[in-house]
Amino acid sequence: MTSETGTAMPHDQEAEQATLGAMLLAGPGHDLVPEIAAVVGSEDYYRPAHATIHTAITDMHAAGLPVDPITVAARLRETGDLRRVGDVSYLHALVQATPTAANGPYYAEIVAGLAKARRRIEIGTRLLAHGGPDAVDAERIAAQAAAELTTLGTNDRWPDPIPLGSHAGLPVFPVSALTPWIGEQVAAVAEFTQTPPDLAATMALAALSTAAGGRVHVEIRPGWREQSNLYLVCAMPPASRKSDVFAAMTEPIYDVERQLQDESRAQIIEAETSREAALAEAEGLMAKARKPGDGVDRTALVAEAAAAKLLAEEIHVPPKPRLTVSGDITPEPLAQQLAIHRCLAALSPEGDLFDIIAGRYSAKPNLGVFLQAHKGERLQTDRITREQPSVDKPALTIGITPQPAVLQDLAGAPGARDRGLLARFLYALPPSNLGYRKTRTTPVPEPVAQRYRDLLSRLLRTLYALPEPVTVPLTARADRAVEGLQEALEVSLRPEQPLSHLLDWAGKLVGHTARVALLLHVADRIQGETWGQPVDEEVIRRAAEITDYYTQHALVVFDLISSDPATEAAQTILDWLRRPRTDGTWRTAIKRRDAVAASRRFRTVSQVEPALALLEAHGYLRADEPLRTGRAGHPGTATYRVHPSLRGEGGADAH
């Protein structure tokens, strides 16, 4: 391939086409797309259409979607970019223009090299323009040019840094891991409401937990059982159509609850009437016993009255059936309702429950009922009625969709982190579609909606009717699969590993996976009424895919809600790096002792080290090998190169 010459900036159209074609030819199971993306970025292409195609391919691969000319064309059609890049025929032309996909990284190096050459020319042109014929600060211009050209001379390309407090490439909920009748509803609701599927999927799991939570348990091994109730939260900003999605996914729950109440009304009235009659008889006998006169056998009357009263107390008046409680219930009434019904769900499209948990309406948060009702620990409190002094195996489901800021309020509640409340939630933090939603969408197909209503209703009724909780075991292969999850988790808890700072949350991850697996199991088998059979390995795998999704989102959520001094210090250094020196030049490299000067808050090198490590992890800095001092006990001085986006035009402030 030869570069095009003439008045145009250096570029090679054939190399750009072959790079994209190689990614389109990569096929599933290959790492060619990330390998090429590590060499060349969308900003390195000369043709804007090629940059658009590159972005679509890398985004789809990061989301776990298949990449080929047909799927990429569909994505570009959704975003309105297909015609702009040359239609589907051009994607096939890219494949035809690729001699071999295996050479994709080499083609990418050609594209990246020419992009670097174009930047050199742009830097020189810009600096000359800034200098002008009357420029006298030649030294400043030369220093600036040297700094920018030094960065371009490095062998590796700087990827975009990850903003502090966030993580790049959060996964989309794996809808394919759900039971088909649920997954179809989730996908259809997401399309109709133009919301991320994460929202509908999280509420679908909350619906399954409402049906099974506390009524079906899973036994992983002898002595290790898990209830099937979940605490789920999907945080999204206002105007995200949360209420519409919430209604579509939970409507069958409220329908079944009303039906159960209607069906039990006659039985409740009959029991209440019998009890009132027995009490009236006892009161009548006591009234006779109170009358004066010698002809009254008071002893016999009192005995009869006592017998009538005992009979009245033995008449059981069944409670009005309930599957749910309001989303703004306070801890004391919740404990009382759990004592009566044992299994309940607090579902809401808002975050009022988090306000209550955080203690906004009381002097001190009451976390006990929320902690005990997740694990199924014995619940006992003086506020519970005399008839129900305690309750064994309470099971509360929580499914709410608050705004992200509410999570920070919950994290600030005394004891929320220390006592393990935050560790009991599965978190989803999907991006908002606001500004990118289609105005005309396809309604949820009636067969899909009807199937979801019918099967969820059957599940709710079947499990509600169980006289006692049922325990479902695992198959031997499923047990080994759980053991594999435990081993992998143990490694991730080691220092410097991804979950090392989330030991409380990660400690419940395998248990959460078993709970999700049980929910999938009963949903899979409700039609054949075989949900009492052991949970198999394939269901464990699907559940692990779902909880891995929640793990990636939990990392972001805990970054968002944690009060981390290192993050605050890193932001201070970042702001300092974004400001030029007094002579107008930009910092291309710093040492640890330089960072101490970023703020008066820093006094020693040791105070800035955690912040520098965080900036390095987020891609703002790159550490070179420390220079040896030659003195025992004195560590070498590390030099950190600074991301080009933090300097001048095109810097982070300009984004």
Side-chain angles (χ1 to χ4, degrees), residues 500-618:
S500 60
H501 66 301
L502 289 184
L503 299 181
D504 53 344
W505 188 89
K508 302 184 183 301
L509 182 57
V510 176
H512 277 142
T513 303
R515 293 184 181 209
V516 172
L518 181 57
L519 295 180
L520 296 178
H521 174 80
V522 295
D524 289 349
R525 294 171 174 265
I526 187 61
Q527 287 178 282
E529 298 291 343
T530 58
W531 54 268
Q533 295 180 3
V535 178
D536 61 33
E537 177 187 21
E538 187 268 343
V539 178
I540 298 294
R541 179 194 61 75
R542 288 160 52 203
E545 188 177 354
I546 290 172
T547 52
D548 181 64
Y549 158 86
Y550 284 117
T551 300
Q552 301 307 313
H553 284 246
L555 289 169
V556 179
V557 168
F558 278 92
D559 270 3
L560 178 69
I561 65 180
S562 297
S563 177
D564 186 0
T567 301
E568 296 177 9
Q571 188 62 57
T572 298
I573 296 173
L574 195 59
D575 293 340
W576 172 69
L577 290 172
R578 285 171 170 154
R579 296 192 297 268
R581 296 186 181 95
T582 55
D583 63 0
T585 61
W586 301 89
R587 298 170 183 85
T588 60
I590 62 169
K591 299 184 185 301
R592 283 188 297 237
R593 63 174 178 270
D594 297 328
V596 176
S599 172
R600 292 181 180 179
R601 65 185 292 174
F602 304 131
R603 294 289 183 267
T604 64
V605 167
S606 62
Q607 289 180 315
V608 301
E609 285 181 341
L612 292 173
L614 188 61
L615 289 173
E616 185 180 5
H618 282 253

Side-chain angles (χ1 to χ4, degrees), residues 114-361:
L114 291 170
K116 190 179 295 182
R118 291 196 300 274
R119 292 189 189 108
R120 288 195 185 99
I121 295 172
E122 291 167 357
I123 290 170
T125 302
R126 176 161 49 84
L127 292 173
L128 287 173
H130 285 177
D134 299 323
V136 295
D137 195 2
E139 290 185 2
R140 180 183 63 79
I141 297 171
Q144 182 69 31
E148 299 202 33
L149 291 171
T150 297
T151 302
L152 288 176
T154 57
N155 292 327
D156 48 346
R157 190 180 63 82
W158 285 82
D160 291 337
I162 302 170
L164 290 175
S166 65
H167 292 249
L170 274 177
V172 178
F173 190 98
V175 177
S176 60
L178 295 170
T179 304
W181 61 268
I182 299 173
E184 291 170 3
Q185 172 79 354
V186 166
V189 168
E191 169 61 23
F192 178 53
T193 58
Q194 288 293 284
T195 54
D198 317 54
L199 181 56
T202 296
M203 292 314 302
L205 287 177
L208 292 177
S209 177
T210 301
R215 300 179 176 93
V216 186
H217 302 161
V218 59
E219 184 174 66
I220 296 93
R221 290 173 206 130
W224 181 11
R225 290 184 182 181
E226 292 283 346
Q227 296 196 147
S228 49
N229 57 306
L230 297 174
Y231 287 6
L232 296 145
V233 54
C234 183
M236 293 193 70
S240 295
R241 297 175 176 166
K242 295 181 293 185
S243 297
D244 295 337
V245 176
F246 178 88
M249 303 308 297
T250 62
E251 183 181 10
I253 297 173
Y254 297 103
D255 286 344
V256 169
E257 186 175 50
R258 283 191 295 270
Q259 292 165 11
L260 291 172
Q261 291 172 356
D262 290 341
E263 293 164 6
S264 66
R265 183 175 293 113
Q267 182 184 3
I268 293 173
I269 291 175
E270 182 180 351
E272 287 176 340
T273 303
S274 298
R275 186 174 184 179
E276 289 172 2
L279 288 172
E281 182 182 355
E283 183 57 34
L285 291 168
M286 285 301 299
K288 289 182 180 180
R290 294 188 192 101
K291 289 182 178 180
D294 297 333
V296 178
D297 188 351
R298 292 182 177 82
T299 303
L301 288 172
V302 168
E304 289 182 40
K309 194 167 185 179
L310 284 173
L311 177 62
E313 290 191 355
E314 289 176 359
I315 297 173
H316 173 65
V317 179
K320 184 179 180 180
R322 293 193 70 168
L323 300 174
T324 66
V325 292
S326 65
D328 58 357
I329 191 170
T330 55
E332 289 75 14
L334 176 59
Q336 200 168 35
Q337 290 300 321
L338 283 170
I340 297 171
H341 300 281
R342 196 176 68 81
C343 305
L344 289 169
L347 309 174
S348 174
E350 303 299 336
D352 294 345
L353 185 64
F354 272 8
D355 291 336
I356 291 166
I357 294 175
R360 177 166 294 184
Y361 307 114

